[in-house]
Amino acid sequence: MQPVKVYQEDRIASPAKRVWITFSANPFALAGLWSISLLLLLTLFGPMIAPFAPETQDPRALLLPPSWDPSGTVTHFLGTDDLGRDIFSRLLYGAHLTFGMALLIVITALIIGFIIGSLSGMMRGLKSSILAHLLDSLLSIPSLLMAILVVAVMGPGLENVFWAVGIALTPQFVRSIHHSVHEELQKEYVTAARLDGANSLQVFWYVIMPNVLEVVIIQTTLAISAAILDIAALGFLNLGAQAPSPEWGAMVAQGMDNLLTAPWAVTIPGLAILFSVLAINLVGDGLRSALAPIRN
C-alpha cells in the first residue's frame, strides 16, 4: 500500500514541488545550487569580508604562495601577486565584476529577448519568417566573437563589456522564445482556447506562457555560463576590465607574466571561473532533467 500512497502524493503535488523533488534527488545539481548560492553571497558581501582592499600593495609580500605552502602565511590565505596584492581579497572583489555582471547582463538580455521573442512568436507570415532567418544569421556568429566585434567598435572597459556581451546573448533568448511560442501556437489546446473566446493576450499569458517557461529557465542557465566565460575572456584579452581591476579574467592575464614562478596567481582565478561555470551547468542539467517529466 505504501508505494500507491507515494504515487498518489506525487500525483497531486504541484508542478513546482515535483520539479524540486526531482531536482533535489540529483546530488550534482544540488551541489551546483549550493555553489551558486555561495557565489551570490560572495558577490553581495565579498567586499565586506575581504581582509584587504583589491589595490593594496605590500612590497614585503611579493609573490607569496598560498598558506598551505611551507613558505606561505595565513595572513595571505591564497597568496599574493607580483605587486603584493592579496589574491583572496581580489577574488572576493572580483566576484561582483565577473559573476555579478554576468547575472545582470543575462537578466537584461532575458527581458529584452522575452519581449521581442514573444511578440514576434505571436506573429504569422512573412514578418515572422524574416525575423527567424535574421536570428539564424546572427546566431551563426559565436557569442564571444560577437562581443569582441562590439568591444572593438565601442572600445575596452567594463561598461562596454556589459553592452557587448548583452548584444551577443540577446539574440539567443529572442530565437529560443520566438521558436517556442511559434510552435505552441500550432497546438490544439491553443485553438481550443481561441474557440472559447480568449483573445491573443489571454492565449499567450495563460496558455502559451506556462509551456514556454521551461525554455526560458534552461536558456537562462546556459546564458549565465556563457556570459561568465565571455566577460573573463574579454578581460584576459585586455578588451574588458583594465588593470588594476580584480575581474577574474583580467587577474589571469596579469598573472601570466609570472606563470612559472607564481602559478597560483593564474590557477586560482582560473579555478574560480571554472567553478562558477561548472556550478551553473550542473544546475542547468538538473533543471533540464527535472522539467522533462513535466513536459512529457
Side-chain angles (χ1 to χ4, degrees), residues 1-295:
M1 296 299 294
Q2 187 65 24
V4 176
K5 182 179 180 181
V6 172
Y7 173 76
Q8 289 176 345
E9 290 178 352
D10 180 70
R11 191 176 175 184
I12 63 176
S14 65
K17 185 176 181 180
R18 281 182 285 169
V19 168
W20 170 248
I21 292 173
T22 306
F23 180 87
S24 59
N26 186 339
F28 295 104
L30 206 57
L33 182 61
W34 283 111
S35 300
I36 292 175
S37 302
L38 175 62
L39 285 171
L40 285 172
L41 290 175
L42 293 179
T43 300
L44 295 173
F45 305 108
M48 299 180 186
I49 62 177
F52 301 94
E55 293 86 12
T56 300
Q57 301 179 15
D58 186 356
R60 299 167 298 177
L62 302 179
L63 297 178
L64 280 180
S67 60
W68 54 83
D69 188 276
S71 302
T73 62
V74 179
T75 304
H76 300 285
F77 175 64
L78 295 180
T80 61
D81 60 12
D82 57 337
L83 297 177
R85 297 174 298 190
D86 184 64
I87 292 179
F88 178 64
S89 299
R90 289 175 63 79
L91 278 180
L92 293 178
Y93 274 92
H96 77 276
L97 296 177
T98 304
F99 186 75
M101 180 178 284
L103 292 179
L104 186 59
I105 289 172
V106 170
I107 292 172
T108 305
L110 170 61
I111 294 173
I112 297 173
F114 181 80
I115 294 172
I116 299 175
S118 301
L119 293 175
S120 62
M122 296 293 290
M123 296 178 183
R124 298 176 182 268
L126 185 61
K127 292 181 180 179
S128 179
S129 178
I130 291 175
L131 180 63
H133 289 298
L134 177 61
L135 290 172
D136 288 338
S137 301
L138 289 175
L139 291 176
S140 64
I141 305 175
S143 62
L144 178 58
L145 179 58
M146 177 73 76
I148 291 175
L149 293 174
V150 175
V151 170
V153 174
M154 301 179 64
L158 279 174
E159 182 178 349
N160 293 340
V161 166
F162 177 89
W163 295 111
V165 179
I167 291 172
L169 293 180
T170 299
Q172 299 181 14
F173 283 102
V174 176
R175 182 68 180 92
S176 61
I177 295 173
H178 167 86
H179 180 71
S180 300
V181 172
H182 195 69
E183 276 196 343
E184 293 298 322
L185 280 176
Q186 317 303 322
K187 302 293 179 64
E188 294 181 356
Y189 57 79
V190 174
T191 304
R194 291 189 184 278
L195 292 175
D196 285 341
N199 57 38
S200 296
L201 181 60
Q202 291 172 330
V203 167
F204 172 76
W205 190 254
Y206 295 107
V207 181
I208 295 178
M209 181 59 188
N211 297 290
V212 176
L213 190 59
E214 174 195 351
V215 175
V216 173
I217 293 173
I218 294 175
Q219 183 62 43
T220 301
T221 58
L222 295 174
I224 294 173
S225 60
I228 292 173
L229 290 175
D230 289 351
I231 293 170
L234 291 172
F236 179 79
L237 296 173
N238 201 30
L239 295 174
Q242 303 294 298
S245 172
E247 192 276 319
W248 293 346
M251 288 179 63
V252 174
Q254 295 164 24
M256 289 297 293
D257 293 336
N258 302 286
L259 178 60
L260 297 179
T261 56
W264 57 87
V266 175
T267 56
I268 291 177
L271 288 174
I273 298 170
L274 174 63
F275 175 79
S276 303
V277 174
L278 179 61
I280 295 293
N281 288 338
L282 288 175
V283 171
D285 290 339
L287 285 173
R288 191 178 298 109
S289 302
L291 290 168
I294 305 299
R295 179 181 66 250

